[in-house]
């Protein structure tokens, strides 16, 4: 088995070499799942779980660890924001040559940004973006995107030590309470948005993939939802059929202004526009939004915006 793994890794290294032609690229696509599987078998996931103090959500070969800011009470327009709506920090680990590729989005207060950043960069992690997602929230929250490539335990340790400079909860207490109900017509929301959503912590969430693959440093970012490159849309019920919505559209440059126009035409505020990564292909922009209104009305506005993107629809 070890010889098989070594051979597959060798094949992958050749396929990832500079100057590959189209035929070689096709072979890369063919070989990548086998190489990824080989690397996944080499990763000591239990050790990473122990370092980070939690279990991941596993999708395909990606292990995604959540770091929700359950310690914060953030309000906006009279809405108390649930962690799953806009306070859900995360880090995803994907097996790659030389260990893992790690990407994450951490939720921080302004006073926490630089202490966390200094600890991260001292441990060899990259900071790829720092920005807001929302406007007028109290307290204000900011979002630090991080990336790393290499030994998974060292990366996990760097993440843990960096977050220790903030008040992000690093221990997980199992809850015995049933999850909050999502008092919305979720079947109609599914139909309008065009994909199946799922309830998470009292929030109804959608991940809408783009049709074309996204790569970072030549590696395909898949599955797209766990790796943060699917369009994310979240609905939090606010009573009487209304919902607060937020999330981010994942856009190419030519889609940015058509989506802005569609959102504003339908009464949805655009709250941020920025990058999350440094070397992705195609170049992507992430647009965040906010509204609190009739959920079905807002879903139709979001659908109008989605129709201006190269995204999938069931």
């Amino acid at each position: 088995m070890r010889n098989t793994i070594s051979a597959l890794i060798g094949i992958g290294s050749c396929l990832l070499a500079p100057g590959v032609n189209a035929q070689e690229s096709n072979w890369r696509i063919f070989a990548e799942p086998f190489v990824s599987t080989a690397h996944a078998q080499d990763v000591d996931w239990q050790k990473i779980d122990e370092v980070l103090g939690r279990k991941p959500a596993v999708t395909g070969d990606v292990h995604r660890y959540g770091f929700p800011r359950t310690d914060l009470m953030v309000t906006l327009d009279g809405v108390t924001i649930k962690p799953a709506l806009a306070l859900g920090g995360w880090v995803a680990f994907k097996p790659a040559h030389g260990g893992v590729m790690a990407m994450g989005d951490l939720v921080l207060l302004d006073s926490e940004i630089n202490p966390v950043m200094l600890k991260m960069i001292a441990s060899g992690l990259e900071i790829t973006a720092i920005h807001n997602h929302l406007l007028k929230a109290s307290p204000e929250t900011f979002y630090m995107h991080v990336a790393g490539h290499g030994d998974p335990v060292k990366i996990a340790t760097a993440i843990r030590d960096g977050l220790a400079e903030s008040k992000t909860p690093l221990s997980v207490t199992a809850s015995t309470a049933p999850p909050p109900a999502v008092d919305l017509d979720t079947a109609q929301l599914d139909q309008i948005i065009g994909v199946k959503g799922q309830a998470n912590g009292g929030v109804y969430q959608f991940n809408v993939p783009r049709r074309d693959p996204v790569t970072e440093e030549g590696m395909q970012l898949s599955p797209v939802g766990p790796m943060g490159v699917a369009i994310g849309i979240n609905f939090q019920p606010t009573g009487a059929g209304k919902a607060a919505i937020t999330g981010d559209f994942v856009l190419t440059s030519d889609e940015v202004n058509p989506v802005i126009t569609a959102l504003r035409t339908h009464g949805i505020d655009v709250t941020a526009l920025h990058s999350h990564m440094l070397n992705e292909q195609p170049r992507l922009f992430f647009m965040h939004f906010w509204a609190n209104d009739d959920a079905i009305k807002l879903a139709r506005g979001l659908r109008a915006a989605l129709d201006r993107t190269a995204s999938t629809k069931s």
Side-chain angles (χ1 to χ4, degrees):
M1 182 63 182
R2 184 175 299 276
N3 291 338
T4 302
I5 292 172
S6 300
L8 288 170
I9 292 172
I11 291 170
S13 300
C14 293
L15 291 169
L16 291 172
V20 293
N21 58 32
Q23 184 177 5
E24 287 171 325
S25 296
N26 291 335
W27 274 104
R28 178 193 303 166
I29 294 169
F30 173 79
E32 182 176 302
F34 298 97
V35 177
S36 183
T37 300
H39 281 288
Q41 292 172 346
D42 289 341
V43 176
D44 187 345
W45 294 112
Q46 183 175 346
K47 181 63 175 176
I48 299 172
D49 296 353
E50 292 171 358
V51 171
L52 295 178
R54 64 206 62 221
K55 291 292 186 180
V58 181
T59 308
D61 64 347
V62 172
H63 289 227
R64 176 164 161 146
Y65 297 83
F67 292 92
R69 291 304 300 259
T70 53
D71 59 310
L72 299 177
M73 180 171 289
V74 179
T75 60
L76 174 56
D77 290 344
V79 177
T80 299
I81 295 174
K82 294 183 182 297
L85 183 68
L87 303 174
W90 57 272
V91 178
F93 290 74
K94 181 178 177 67
H97 297 280
V100 297
M101 167 190 282
M103 299 174 61
D105 182 10
L106 310 176
V107 184
L108 302 171
L109 298 174
D110 57 357
S111 60
E112 297 171 337
I113 292 172
N114 277 290
V116 171
M117 181 193 301
L118 287 171
K119 198 74 171 181
M120 295 280 190
I121 61 177
S123 299
L125 295 184
E126 291 185 332
I127 310 300
T128 61
I130 303 170
H131 46 234
N132 67 295
H133 286 182
L134 303 172
L135 301 174
K136 302 181 295 183
S138 179
E140 288 184 294
T141 52
F142 296 86
Y143 301 78
M144 179 185 292
H145 291 262
V146 299
H149 183 207
D151 181 270
V153 174
K154 289 182 179 178
I155 292 174
T157 302
I159 296 292
R160 181 199 63 199
D161 292 350
L163 284 175
E165 298 296 315
S166 72
K167 293 185 178 179
T168 302
L170 294 180
S171 60
V172 178
T173 302
S175 174
T176 57
V182 177
D183 186 19
L184 296 171
D185 186 345
T186 56
Q188 191 169 1
L189 293 179
D190 290 349
Q191 183 179 15
I192 295 169
I193 298 300
V195 299
K196 175 67 177 172
Q198 63 178 11
N200 176 23
V203 175
Y204 200 63
Q205 300 180 323
F206 294 93
N207 278 307
V208 184
R210 293 187 59 83
R211 288 196 293 268
D212 300 323
V214 177
T215 64
E216 172 79 358
E217 300 285 1
M219 183 171 182
Q220 185 170 333
L221 300 181
S222 65
V224 292
M227 295 301 289
V229 289
I231 296 170
I233 296 173
N234 301 328
F235 287 76
Q236 177 179 316
T238 56
K242 296 175 66 177
I245 61 167
T246 191
D248 54 353
F249 278 79
V250 184
L251 306 170
T252 53
S253 59
D254 59 312
E255 296 169 339
V256 168
N257 279 285
V259 169
I260 287 177
T261 300
L263 292 174
R264 295 302 302 125
T265 299
H266 290 84
I268 300 170
D269 291 342
V270 175
T271 58
L273 174 65
H274 46 232
S275 61
H276 284 182
M277 296 170 284
L278 300 177
N279 298 294
E280 78 280 6
Q281 291 294 329
R283 186 69 171 138
L284 297 174
F285 300 86
F286 293 76
M287 184 183 298
H288 298 264
F289 55 89
W290 170 267
N292 181 20
D293 203 340
D294 179 81
I296 302 304
K297 171 188 170 183
L298 293 176
R300 293 191 177 112
L302 291 165
R303 182 65 253 173
L306 287 166
D307 287 341
R308 288 155 175 80
T309 69
S311 58
T312 63
K313 183 177 181 181
S314 301

